[in-house]
């Protein structure tokens, strides 16, 4: 089975570059990109799975990611959303990571 990648915080900068990298090296249908609001038309390569409405500062962010994965497992996860401040790191551990771990177990 082909490798899959999930990039959380894919709308700009490093996240967008990672989406483009994985879309070129994997099938674009095996790439999942999250954005806080709506994705712009042609923002990502054709075939990339975009999960909209994922705000890592909100408690439901992990649930939205899990729902957006539609039962698929992920081999590579990149979390590059938000500013690197103390409260954002707590958001990752408190909201996002536990939801993702429940899916893999």
């Amino acid at each position: 089975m082909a490798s899959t990648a999930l990039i959380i915080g894919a709308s700009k900068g490093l996240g967008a570059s990672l989406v483009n990298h994985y879309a070129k090296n994997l099938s674009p249908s095996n790439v999942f990109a999250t954005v806080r609001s709506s994705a712009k038309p042609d923002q990502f390569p054709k075939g990339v799975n975009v999960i909209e409405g994922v705000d890592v500062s909100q408690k439901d962010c992990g649930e939205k990611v899990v729902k957006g994965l539609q039962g698929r497992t992920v081999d590579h996860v990149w979390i590059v959303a938000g500013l690197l401040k103390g409260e954002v790191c707590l958001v990752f551990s408190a909201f996002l990571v536990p939801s993702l771990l429940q899916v893999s177990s």
Side-chain angles (χ1 to χ4, degrees), residues 3 5 10 13-15 17-18 21 28 31 34-35 38 42 44 51 55 61-63 65 67-68 71 84 89 100 105:
S3 238
L14 178 59
S17 295
L18 286 166
H21 168 78
V31 179
T34 74
V35 294
S38 298
D42 300 323
F44 300 109
I51 306 171
D55 184 340
C61 67
E63 294 168 12
V65 171
K67 183 177 179 183
L84 294 178
C89 292
L100 292 175
S105 58

Side-chain angles (χ1 to χ4, degrees), residues 59-76:
K59 290 184 179 183
D60 67 345
C61 67
E63 294 168 12
K64 287 182 178 182
V65 171
V66 169
K67 183 177 179 183
L69 291 173
Q70 301 173 351
R72 302 269 308 268
T73 58
V74 179
D75 300 300
H76 309 278

Side-chain angles (χ1 to χ4, degrees), residues 7 15-25 31 43-45 48:
I7 298 90
S17 295
L18 286 166
V19 170
N20 289 326
H21 168 78
Y22 281 109
K24 288 177 186 172
N25 292 289
V31 179
Q43 181 174 359
F44 300 109
V48 168

